[in-house]
Amino acid sequence: MSADESSTTVGVVVPRSRWRSTLARRAHRVRESMPAIAQIVVAATAAYAFAHFVLGHPVPLLAATVTVSSLGLVRDARPWRVAETVMGMLVGILIAEVVLLTAGSGWWQIALAMTATLVIARFLSPQPGFALAAVVQSLIALVVVTGAPFLRLIDGAVGGVAALVVTALIPRTLRRTELRDADELFDALDAAMATIVRALRRGDRGRAERGLERARALQTYVDAWSGSLESGREVARISPFLRRQRAELQRHERVRAALDLATRNLRVIARRAAYLCADGQPRPVTADLLAELERAAGLVRDGLDDISLEPVARETLAALTRRLDPAALLPDGGAGEQNLLAALRPLAVDLLVAAGMPSAEARGLLPRI
């Protein structure tokens, strides 16, 4: 057996590199979850301690469970989502309290409370999670019957307040998550553009179709960045520790919105490229221009980390945009190839906007056609 292999008890050889890779992924998952774990532990402990020692509640279980359930381990802990989850749980606890007061406790009371909770929760919110959060807390309140009436509702409210406070005071590492999502989008955009460029250079329809598939897949990356960026902006609005990040996050939103349009325009380019490459003829002029746009997109990405680099991206893109005249660049080209080159124009404008140029000014740089 080689040094890179190890045997299991059933005699199956498993590469040690696979074990190392698995352990690395699991360790990374733990590191990514540490801010959320810190939030949950601090908020749940504080809520339980406040309800028990300050309010004198004997077993403030719901103070802790509401906190844990409303925060969760998902990276998207936006304040309004936390608040929505808290409201759902409080609705469930309130219904349970009313059932206990009017009908007592028992198996059929549990069925009655759960039915009422699910019906009311579905009426109040279209989110399935809202109803599930409500019915779980309703069930806990019915099973753990301790203390005076509405004591559990107060505990739930304490837990909800603790969750919202800790969202602002111990924010998760949203900036790092947001920048990672941005990197993944730019990497995927670069790969899609590079594939289309190679297809145009060779007149390779199969490669062009792969470029189209990659361009269509970009929406997933756009949506991921949209979610993490929105989370960061919402938390920054309420967190005293993230005030300095608000302007930066607003700038990133401008880049994201422009990249969303750019990916849509790239799909148009990819479709036209796949159609044109059916004849097997190379299109070097259009390929070179798209390659220049690809490199310029990399400059836009560099400006995302360092705003001082944005002027370089704008100057590069402005010089390229002024040249995008299909008739001048392809005087002998067919209508299909000229239309493909014309499709590069809105992509260049989108990248200019991402680099900080106003949309009207960017469009004004395009040659008249």
Side-chain angles (χ1 to χ4, degrees):
M1 185 181 298
S2 69
D4 288 334
E5 294 179 341
S6 61
S7 261
T8 66
T9 56
V10 294
V12 178
V13 177
V14 180
R16 288 182 180 175
S17 59
R18 185 184 303 174
W19 287 108
R20 287 194 294 268
S21 176
T22 300
L23 289 174
R25 286 197 304 272
R26 294 181 180 184
H28 177 73
R29 184 167 64 240
V30 172
R31 286 195 302 271
E32 288 286 301
S33 299
M34 286 309 297
I37 291 171
Q39 273 191 340
I40 291 170
V41 171
V42 170
T45 304
Y48 185 94
F50 182 85
H52 183 65
F53 295 109
V54 178
L55 301 181
H57 297 180
V59 186
L61 175 64
L62 290 175
T65 60
V66 166
T67 305
V68 173
S69 299
S70 58
L71 289 173
L73 285 171
V74 295
R75 69 180 186 175
D76 187 6
R78 287 177 248 187
W80 71 266
R81 287 195 174 178
V82 173
E84 182 181 50
T85 305
V86 168
M87 289 304 299
M89 289 185 281
L90 292 181
V91 166
I93 297 170
L94 177 60
I95 293 172
E97 294 281 12
V98 172
V99 169
L100 285 171
L101 281 176
T102 57
S105 61
W107 67 268
W108 67 268
Q109 289 91 339
I110 290 176
L112 173 63
M114 291 178 66
T115 301
T117 300
L118 288 170
V119 170
I120 294 173
R122 290 301 287 163
F123 176 79
L124 293 175
S125 173
Q127 300 298 328
F130 183 91
L132 292 177
V135 76
V136 168
Q137 298 303 321
S138 177
L139 183 59
I140 294 174
L142 283 163
V143 173
V144 185
V145 183
T146 59
F150 296 102
L151 200 64
R152 289 163 295 278
L153 184 62
I154 297 173
D155 288 342
V158 169
V161 171
L164 290 170
V165 169
V166 83
T167 299
L169 298 183
I170 311 178
R172 301 182 183 183
T173 52
L174 296 167
R175 179 173 170 77
R176 185 175 64 187
T177 301
E178 176 256 322
L179 285 174
R180 185 181 65 236
D181 288 341
D183 277 336
E184 291 179 354
L185 171 58
F186 275 98
D187 288 344
L189 178 67
D190 182 78
M193 294 176 76
T195 303
I196 300 168
V197 167
R198 288 193 292 270
L200 290 170
R201 290 196 194 284
R202 302 176 183 179
D204 186 341
R205 181 171 185 176
R207 193 180 295 270
E209 289 177 347
R210 287 196 295 274
L212 177 57
E213 291 174 3
R214 288 184 169 182
R216 286 170 173 165
L218 290 174
Q219 192 59 46
T220 300
Y221 298 96
V222 173
D223 293 342
W225 189 16
S226 297
S228 59
L229 186 55
E230 186 179 352
S231 295
R233 294 175 65 198
E234 290 189 9
V235 174
R237 289 193 190 104
I238 67 170
S239 175
F241 305 113
L242 299 179
R243 291 182 183 275
R244 289 181 295 180
Q245 293 186 17
R246 294 174 187 174
E248 190 71 357
L249 289 169
Q250 184 64 34
R251 184 172 71 89
H252 289 188
E253 170 57 24
R254 179 249 296 162
V255 178
R256 185 215 60 80
L259 260 291
D260 188 5
L261 295 175
T263 58
R264 298 170 192 266
N265 283 317
L266 184 62
R267 287 195 285 273
V268 174
I269 293 168
R271 282 194 292 270
R272 292 185 180 181
Y275 175 77
L276 283 178
C277 286
D279 62 7
Q281 297 298 314
R283 265 88 182 176
V285 174
T286 309
D288 289 344
L289 290 169
L290 185 57
E292 289 186 53
L293 286 172
E294 178 192 349
R295 290 190 290 272
L299 296 176
V300 174
R301 170 63 190 92
D302 295 339
L304 198 65
D305 281 330
D306 185 353
I307 193 173
S308 66
L309 299 177
E310 277 195 348
V312 177
R314 284 197 297 272
E315 291 171 8
T316 301
L317 282 162
L320 175 58
T321 302
R322 293 188 182 98
R323 294 163 44 207
L324 293 180
D325 183 348
L329 291 169
L330 295 168
D332 299 323
E337 190 171 3
Q338 289 197 356
N339 287 336
L340 174 60
L341 197 152
L344 302 184
R345 291 159 59 94
L347 176 60
V349 170
D350 293 335
L351 292 176
L352 273 170
V353 173
M357 183 178 288
S359 179
E361 183 179 344
R363 289 195 298 271
L365 297 177
L366 291 169
R368 292 183 179 276
I369 55 176

